[in-house]
Each structure stands twice: as structure tokens, then as C-alpha cells.
Amino acid sequence: IRDAYSNSGGSDSNSVGYNSPPEFNPSFGTSGVTSTQITEASSSDWGRVQIQYSVRDPDTVSVSSTPNQIRPAFEYYLNGLWTAVATTSLGATDTSLKGVDVSTYTTYSATWNATSQIPNIYSTSFQIRVTANDNESVSNTAVATSTDLIIDTKPPTVAALKASAIIWWPQDKFVWKSHPDLVHARALTVDQWKRVVAYGEARYIQM
């Protein structure tokens, strides 16, 4: 028999099990989870959602059928509904078993290709929920939910960008260079404009 503090005393022959569920770190993000859409253009995960969570399992060594491990699952909240994040849109190992400790919290990260699952969405009240499962038969899960985040999987509106490129590229290249009074420190060079165009075309923005 085991009490709520994992103390053992005597035995019981009935088939009812006991288990302490995993725990999320209340000092990490919001109740143990953070989520954000990656906006750094230089990142290979640009546009994806990064999910981080911090978790432990108080009785992982003595009780769990998968000792020292939990399995995470992910959901998103949109338009009043919770929906499972498709494993095919996550990293290859994001839903694999994760090592945990009985006292120290361990932090993990998952990356979700939201555009592949929910394209053409813009929301300012989007949430991510993480479930940690220690694979026991009872009291086996713990849940943590992120604060609201902005999610944007809509293709960019390119008309203004294209117009800017068409107008300012030749002006930067010819007008400002041929009129010293109009040259300024932040005028783009030809090579810089080429990089702007390459960046846009790499993301399906045709200049």
C-alpha cells in the first residue's frame, strides 16, 4: 500500500492500482509549458511553433511501467475546440518516451509544423496543451496549458512588398547613387536587394 507521499506500508491483494501522476514545473512558463511561433528568418524552423515543457514523475522509479520515462502528447486550441497535434507534423522524436527524474524537472522541446495541419489561420488566442503520460493504469497523466499566443499560417500579402521592391530597388541602385544629396547611410546596396529578393522567393513571394 502506498500513500500520497509515496510511503509504503504493508500489502493489499486487491487489483486496484496506485500511481502518482507526472508533474509539470509550476515555475516554468505557464504551469510548466511555453509556446511561440518562430519568426527568426534565419531559422530553419521559421514559421513553426516551438513548444517547451518541464516535467518530472515523483514515483517513476518504483511504480512506472516505463521507469524514468513519460510520453508527451500535444493539442492546440482554436475556435473553442481542442484538437490533437498530428504526429506527422511534429519532429521525428517529439512524441517518443522522455527521460524524467523523481525530483528534478527536465525540460524538453517539440517543434510543430502548424502550417501543414492548419493552413490559412490567424488567431491571437491560440493555445497549446501538453499531456505527460507515465503509462500506468491509473492517475497516469498530467496536463499543462500555455498562455495565448499569436498564430499565423496565412501566406503573406505580397502586393505591397512587390511594389516596394519594384520602386525602391531601381531608386536605390540608380537615383540615390547618381544624386549624392539623396544618398543616405541606410540605402540598400545591390547585393542587399538581391538577398531581399532571394529571401522572398524562398518563401514563395515572387518579386
Side-chain angles (χ1 to χ4, degrees):
I1 299 174
R2 185 182 300 275
D3 64 17
Y5 300 97
S6 297
N7 298 312
S8 298
S11 61
D12 190 348
S13 61
N14 67 49
S15 59
V16 177
Y18 179 82
N19 175 51
S20 292
E23 297 176 349
F24 285 95
N25 184 353
S27 299
F28 182 84
T30 302
S31 302
V33 61
T34 66
S35 58
T36 184
Q37 189 169 23
I38 299 169
T39 58
E40 291 82 3
S42 60
S43 173
S44 59
D45 289 321
W46 180 82
R48 297 173 186 252
V49 175
Q50 183 181 59
I51 307 165
Q52 291 185 301
Y53 56 98
S54 184
V55 65
R56 68 183 182 185
D57 190 359
D59 60 359
T60 186
V61 176
S62 56
V63 176
S64 180
S65 60
T66 54
N68 303 104
Q69 294 178 314
I70 58 95
R71 187 181 299 278
F74 307 94
E75 300 167 277
Y76 65 88
Y77 181 80
L78 182 66
N79 298 329
L81 297 173
W82 284 102
T83 305
V85 171
T87 56
T88 53
S89 63
L90 290 163
T93 62
D94 286 345
T95 57
S96 300
L97 289 170
K98 305 297 181 185
V100 291
D101 188 69
V102 296
S103 57
T104 302
Y105 292 102
T106 305
T107 301
Y108 288 101
S109 180
T111 305
W112 174 38
N113 185 357
T115 303
S116 70
Q117 186 170 358
I118 50 169
N120 301 309
I121 292 294
Y122 179 85
S123 174
T124 59
S125 56
F126 196 80
Q127 292 181 319
I128 293 292
R129 185 163 68 186
V130 182
T131 299
N133 187 342
D134 68 6
N135 304 302
E136 285 298 311
S137 58
V138 295
S139 301
N140 56 313
T141 61
V143 175
T145 304
S146 73
T147 56
D148 290 352
L149 71 142
I150 297 174
I151 186 77
D152 184 0
T153 63
K154 288 186 174 182
T157 302
V158 301
L161 179 58
K162 290 170 69 176
S164 178
I166 292 170
I167 293 170
W168 292 108
W169 192 347
Q171 286 195 6
D172 215 5
K173 183 177 180 182
F174 301 114
V175 178
W176 289 342
K177 301 306 180 186
S178 59
H179 296 280
D181 291 342
L182 297 178
V183 174
H184 59 86
R186 292 191 294 177
L188 296 182
T189 66
V190 174
D191 286 342
Q192 287 172 327
W193 267 115
K194 287 180 179 179
R195 287 198 290 272
V196 169
V197 174
Y199 172 84
E201 290 181 344
R203 286 156 176 78
Y204 310 104
I205 303 171
Q206 297 302 313
M207 296 293 193

